[in-house]
Amino acid sequence: MSDTPGGSAETQRLDGAEPNPPATHQLTTNSPAANSPAANSPAANSPATSRISPNRLRPDLQTSLLVSHIIVMVVGITVLVGIGRISTPRFFVWQLRQMEGQGVRVAQLRVPLVKSFETAWSRGAQWSVLVGGIAASGLSYWLADRITQPLKRMQRMTRKFAEGELDARLPGSEIEELNQLAVSFNQMAAGLQGVEQRRRELVGDLTHELRTPLTVLNGYLEGMQDGTLEPSLEIFGRLTQETKRLQRLIDDFQTLSKAEAGYLPIQLEALNLRPLLENLVERFADQIFEEGPALRLQVGEVLPEVRGDRARIEQILVNLIGNAIRYTDQGSIVVQAEAEAGYLWIAVVDTGLGIAEAELPKVFERFWRADKARTRDGSGSGIGLAIARRLVELQGGEIQVQSQLGQGSTFRFSLPLA
């Protein structure tokens, strides 16, 4: 055996020669990447890097489905041929015996008939296996490709999402499970697109809101620096006002971020809101000029207790009443409260400017204002209503708005009864 070319594996080991390298090593070292300078480095020649990555050897879903179909087909054909090869001649002999019992003389022809039958059956089985195997393989490939096409499309879509194309959507599929997966994927995509859109709007709105006070501050400071403005108590008062506006905006935005993330502490307890309502109405009434709107409280003698956070409820009411005073020059502002279906509804009704019907769905969005020019009167951060909505939701209630342009607005929110 040692005279054969190359010899056997045993002979090679006895002679001290190295055995042939494994196939995976040959594939790696023969690739273009192996001929690069990085591949020729000591690290590249180490055993860990000379192996092919398991992910590259792992078959894809289509190949796995095709192989599984072929395995099922081979097992089925093997069982069919094996059982047929064993049982069919025996049944044929049994049938010949039945014919002999009926008087037909086939004893001398039994052996040739059985052999001829076995030969014919074998040839027929061979052709059946060949044609059936080809047809089954083609059908398996078509089915595997049909099943995996939606998954391949989903893979392409996820890559587009990773590249920032958030408007891509998956088409439906005739396979129910894959169709449900596509629907869920599209819902997730729409949600991500909405989050990204809100993030961009938030950055833009916040930039706009910060720019106004910063521009005012910069103008005053540059004027005093170049001597065009003389420092005075009035200028310092305006600078202080703008810095307070910046501080209020940052505080409100921080409150809203905590509320939306669920980090804002809420201390729920049983409360009687009548003293709070009376105190707020009295406090705001002292701030309204004589020619301004009349502020009054309209509630029953006894209010049912609610379950809520007193400080957060006061924060909500201060925002709603403050907005009503800001946008109501004349007329009235009424604070109401009444129980309804397990909740206490508190409403602030004014006869002010009102809100256009098309703007109502946007009222509780960040930095929303009815005037498109977004002019400011020196107060408010533009996110008070967004904070109010989130505070109401954290206490288990909801907030609503009804308004007609030029006739006034009604903001009301609910709190669960204790």
Side-chain angles (χ1 to χ4, degrees):
M1 294 183 64
S2 61
D3 295 333
T4 58
S8 65
E10 291 79 0
T11 305
Q12 289 182 359
R13 295 190 189 94
L14 291 173
D15 294 340
E18 289 291 332
N20 291 331
T24 54
H25 180 74
Q26 293 176 356
L27 288 172
T28 305
T29 55
N30 291 335
S31 63
N35 297 326
S36 63
N40 294 327
S41 63
N45 294 327
S46 64
T49 57
S50 61
R51 301 189 187 97
I52 292 180
S53 173
N55 292 331
R56 296 180 57 186
L57 297 177
R58 186 180 301 165
D60 57 13
L61 179 60
Q62 184 175 358
T63 303
S64 300
L65 288 174
L66 180 59
V67 171
S68 64
H69 290 167
I70 292 177
I71 291 175
V72 172
M73 176 190 68
V74 171
V75 171
I77 292 177
T78 302
V79 172
L80 175 65
V81 173
I83 294 178
R85 185 71 178 84
I86 295 173
S87 62
T88 302
R90 296 181 179 180
F91 282 117
F92 185 71
V93 172
W94 178 80
Q95 186 64 32
L96 291 179
R97 291 176 179 175
Q98 292 291 106
M99 294 174 63
E100 290 178 354
Q102 296 176 1
V104 180
R105 297 181 179 180
V106 293
Q108 298 179 352
L109 299 177
R110 180 186 298 175
V111 175
L113 284 175
V114 171
K115 290 184 177 180
S116 299
F117 177 80
E118 290 180 351
T119 302
W121 190 92
S122 298
R123 291 179 180 177
Q126 291 174 0
W127 280 103
S128 299
V129 169
L130 179 62
V131 176
I134 294 175
S137 299
L139 181 61
S140 299
Y141 177 83
W142 179 77
L143 288 174
D145 182 72
R146 184 180 180 85
I147 292 174
T148 56
Q149 279 303 319
L151 299 178
K152 292 179 179 179
R153 288 195 296 267
M154 182 173 295
Q155 184 182 24
R156 291 193 294 267
M157 294 300 174
T158 55
R159 289 177 180 175
K160 290 183 178 181
F161 263 73
E163 296 171 357
E165 299 181 19
L166 300 181
D167 57 345
R169 296 293 184 272
L170 281 176
S173 174
E174 297 179 357
I175 303 175
E176 179 62 24
E177 289 77 6
L178 294 179
N179 185 65
Q180 293 179 359
L181 183 60
V183 171
S184 300
F185 182 89
N186 291 338
Q187 292 175 349
M188 179 196 69
L192 290 176
Q193 187 176 17
V195 169
E196 178 64 17
Q197 180 66 25
R198 288 191 295 271
R199 185 190 67 81
R200 294 178 180 178
E201 292 176 355
L202 176 60
V203 172
D205 291 338
L206 185 59
T207 302
H208 176 88
E209 295 299 322
L210 291 174
R211 184 182 294 114
T212 301
L214 288 176
T215 301
V216 174
L217 289 172
N218 186 60
Y220 279 118
L221 293 175
E222 287 183 350
M224 288 187 292
Q225 183 180 17
D226 59 24
T228 57
L229 287 177
E230 290 293 334
S232 64
L233 293 177
E234 181 182 0
I235 292 179
F236 289 142
R238 293 178 182 178
L239 293 176
T240 302
Q241 182 180 1
E242 294 302 325
T243 56
K244 288 182 178 180
R245 180 185 299 177
L246 277 174
Q247 184 64 47
R248 185 166 54 249
L249 176 62
I250 294 172
D251 291 343
D252 287 349
F253 186 73
Q254 185 180 23
T255 301
L256 178 60
S257 298
K258 289 182 178 180
E260 291 185 340
Y263 298 146
L264 195 65
I266 300 293
Q267 305 295 333
L268 298 178
E269 58 180 341
L271 297 171
N272 181 7
L273 293 185
R274 184 178 178 86
L276 175 61
L277 296 176
E278 292 176 346
N279 180 270
L280 287 175
V281 170
E282 182 179 354
R283 187 198 314 174
F284 277 99
D286 295 337
Q287 302 176 13
I288 301 176
F289 296 107
E290 293 183 359
E291 63 274 10
L295 177 61
R296 66 177 185 272
L297 179 64
Q298 185 178 344
V299 297
E301 291 295 331
V302 179
L303 289 178
E305 289 188 341
V306 299
R307 184 168 179 80
D309 187 317
R310 179 183 178 86
R312 302 306 178 186
I313 296 173
E314 181 177 358
Q315 186 176 356
I316 298 168
L317 288 169
V318 166
N319 183 273
L320 297 181
I321 298 175
N323 285 343
I325 295 175
R326 188 177 300 115
Y327 295 105
T328 304
D329 295 331
Q330 295 180 345
S332 64
I333 300 173
V334 182
V335 179
Q336 302 173 343
E338 61 178 352
E340 178 182 338
Y343 289 88
L344 181 67
W345 285 88
I346 306 166
V348 178
V349 184
D350 66 66
T351 58
L353 299 177
I355 305 170
E357 183 177 358
E359 298 291 328
L360 290 178
K362 307 175 184 178
V363 165
F364 297 104
E365 295 180 359
R366 301 185 189 96
F367 302 112
W368 174 87
R369 285 186 178 82
D371 51 322
K372 295 301 181 181
R374 307 179 83 169
T375 55
R376 307 190 65 155
D377 61 353
S379 60
S381 62
I383 57 177
L385 289 176
I387 294 175
R389 178 182 65 176
R390 188 55 184 156
L391 291 178
V392 170
E393 292 173 350
L394 288 175
Q395 297 177 82
E398 62 174 312
I399 189 169
Q400 302 173 352
V401 58
Q402 297 176 349
S403 183
Q404 290 185 359
L405 194 61
Q407 297 185 15
S409 304
T410 298
F411 285 85
R412 71 174 198 150
F413 66 96
S414 65
L415 294 171
L417 297 179

